[in-house]
Structures are given as C-alpha cells and as structure tokens.
Amino acid sequence: MSEIAIPPALTVQTARGPVRCIVEGQGPALLAIHGAMGGAEQSWLLARALLGAAAPAWRVIAVARPGYPGTLLSLGRTPEAQADLHAAVLDALGEDRAVIAAVSAGGPSALQLALRHPDRCRALTLVSACTGRLATPPKVRRRMAVLGLLTAFPGVAAGLRSRGARRPMASLERGVSDPVVRARALADPEACALVRALSVSAMDGLRDRLPGTLNDTDRYADLDRPPLDRITTPLLAIHGTADPVVPLSHAEAVAVGVQDADLLAIEGGEHLALFTHLQDIRGRTAAFLGALQPA
C-alpha cells in the first residue's frame, strides 16, 4: 500500500488568535474544514481526496477548528465564531475568496461562513456533513469519555497510535457495513492510502482532539438549522443514502433550502462514502468546481 505524506502544519497568526493550518500549493484558494476527532491533517486529507490529481492547481488551506490540535477551543465554541475565525485565516493569508470544503462536523461552520461572509466564498462543498440538529448516541459519548481517560497515560496513547498504524483499515471495516462496497474500497490503492493516513492521523495526539469533539457533540444536539434561503453561494452536497452517523436528510435540507444547490446522493453510501466512492465523488466535484467563475 502506498503512503501519503501529509505536509507539516504551521501556526497562522490571525486577528482572532493562532490557528493551526496546513497551507500548500499555488492557485485559487480552497479552505478545507475537518469533522469530529479531526485536525489540520484531516482537513488536508479531505482536500486531497476531493481534488486528486488537480490538487497542485489549488492553494489548499487546511484548518484545525477550535478545540482541535493547535487551535484553542476558546477561539470559537459556536459555528458562528468558527466561521469568523475561518474568515480571519483567509485574511491572514491574503486570500479574498476561497472554495470551502467541509466534511461531517465541519458542516455547521462552513454554512455559517457562507452566511456571515458570503463575499469570501466562491462555492461550498459539503461531504457527509451535519447541517442542523444531530444527536450523538450515549454509547458514543461514553466511549469518548473513556478514551479521554485512557489517553492520559502515555503508554496507552502510544499503544493506540501503534494499533492505528498496524491496522489502518479497521475504521473502514467498522464504518462500512456492506461487504461488497468495503471490498471495492479496499481494492482501490488510493482510497486505501487515504484511509490509512486518516487512521494514523486520528490516533496521533488523540487527547488533543477530544475538547473540540465534545464541544461539537454538545452544540449540535440543540443546533438550529441556519436560514438556508439566505445562502447565495453555489453549493454541492455529497451524502450517502445509508449514512448512519449523519442522516441523508441533512444534505436534502440544504439541497432544497439553498438557492443554488445540487445533491449527489451516493446510493448505499455510508459515512465514509468519500473513500468507498472516491472516484465518483471526485468526478462530480471536478465538474462542480470547473463550472465556477474564475477566481
């Protein structure tokens, strides 16, 4: 299996505070926003998955949201505050506008960025994204709490990282119930390399990913859907029809509510549809981005 080398992260000093980012490439800007248990590395992997061979033609700005490694939770506990912080990152890096790509729990701040700073957003791509109220099952919350306690012990944390490196496909095996879909993903070398990089990244600094994740789960349990009819940014929602984590209804709501929106519903796709249906999603994303007005 080939390895994906994630570029080193840096700290971008913004008017609102320091934000951990990976900044790579030249061209029009694409701001990538990770989901739960994420960080700048996982934002970068989202951009890499969506852009594929076209990535060098973009300036990828992969952020760590507040409460994730390198970005303090106090900089933005709400989607609104996080959106303002995203805009501050663009300011600090000299970018007037960007395409915004968000996955899973990154959805709310991406929508708020399009609402609060529409002049900064060329387009918005949401992948398996939360767009409104989302309850976290109690057993998942208990698991996160236990994980937080375990990672306080260096030996346990090192063991989790080691297991992530040894069994990078475990997340794919757990997260994809259809054996045919899972086998197809496992047969795609690039999809496997992306999943491996994601799995290893998630186990590195795991304890530092919990504050943001717990904040997300608390906030999203009572999150009102924003006024979608006020969003004028072109939007592409990509979502699996069988997603057990974020229901398809989250993507359907934005596809109906946003003025200029389209929905790619991946039949039978689950929460990891980005990896199990990588080429289909890349093709649709390329067409969407190719239709945009020049930056």
Side-chain angles (χ1 to χ4, degrees), residues 235-263:
L235 185 148
L236 173 64
I238 301 168
H239 217 101
T241 62
D243 190 333
V245 179
V246 181
L248 176 64
S249 58
H250 283 248
E252 291 174 331
V254 294
V256 171
V258 174
Q259 299 173 32
D260 183 6
D262 196 10
L263 171 64

Side-chain angles (χ1 to χ4, degrees), residues 5-7 10 22-27 44 48 55-56 58-62:
I6 300 176
L10 54 86
I22 293 173
V23 183
E24 182 187 46
Q26 301 292 327
W44 183 86
R48 172 69 176 266
W58 291 83
R59 188 188 191 197
V60 172
I61 302 168

Side-chain angles (χ1 to χ4, degrees), residues 54 75-76 99 104 130 134 169-170 194 217 263 279:
L75 297 183
V99 168
S104 194
C130 168
L134 183 67
M169 296 298 105
L194 286 165
T217 57
L263 171 64
Q279 303 308 327

Side-chain angles (χ1 to χ4, degrees), residues 139-160:
K139 67 177 182 180
V140 174
R141 292 183 66 86
R142 288 194 296 270
R143 189 180 307 138
M144 286 192 296
V146 170
L147 215 51
L149 291 172
L150 290 176
T151 53
F153 300 95
V156 175
L160 289 171

Side-chain angles (χ1 to χ4, degrees), residues 45-260:
L45 287 169
L46 166 65
R48 172 69 176 266
L50 289 174
L51 296 174
W58 291 83
R59 188 188 191 197
V60 172
I61 302 168
V63 299
R65 291 191 292 119
Y68 291 90
T71 305
L72 295 173
L73 179 58
S74 59
L75 297 183
R77 295 176 183 272
T78 67
E80 292 86 352
Q82 291 184 18
D84 293 345
L85 189 62
H86 298 332
V89 169
L90 294 179
D91 288 339
L93 294 174
E95 295 290 351
D96 291 331
R97 303 174 72 211
V99 168
I100 314 301
V103 64
S104 194
S109 66
L111 289 172
Q112 287 295 335
L113 184 58
L115 278 166
R116 297 168 70 85
H117 305 277
D119 56 322
R120 315 303 299 273
C121 303
R122 291 182 63 206
L124 182 56
T125 301
L126 301 178
V127 183
S128 306
C130 168
T131 65
R133 188 166 300 171
L134 183 67
T136 302
K139 67 177 182 180
V140 174
R141 292 183 66 86
R142 288 194 296 270
R143 189 180 307 138
M144 286 192 296
V146 170
L147 215 51
L149 291 172
L150 290 176
T151 53
F153 300 95
V156 175
L160 289 171
R161 287 196 299 271
S162 176
R163 188 173 73 170
R166 289 196 314 272
R167 297 196 63 230
M169 296 298 105
S171 58
L172 195 63
E173 292 163 4
R174 289 192 304 269
V176 182
S177 61
D178 187 328
V180 175
V181 173
R182 188 166 61 242
R184 186 175 65 227
L186 290 170
D188 182 334
E190 190 170 8
C192 284
L194 286 165
V195 171
R196 177 186 176 85
L198 181 71
S199 300
V200 173
S201 167
M203 290 298 130
D204 187 21
L206 183 61
R207 186 175 176 80
D208 294 333
R209 303 177 196 278
L210 288 172
T213 301
L214 293 171
N215 180 70
D216 289 345
T217 57
D218 289 341
R219 296 281 171 182
Y220 297 174
D222 296 307
L223 184 67
D224 291 330
R225 184 161 280 127
L228 299 173
D229 59 335
R230 287 174 40 203
I231 294 177
T232 57
T233 303
L235 185 148
L236 173 64
I238 301 168
H239 217 101
T241 62
D243 190 333
V245 179
V246 181
L248 176 64
S249 58
H250 283 248
E252 291 174 331
V254 294
V256 171
V258 174
Q259 299 173 32
D260 183 6

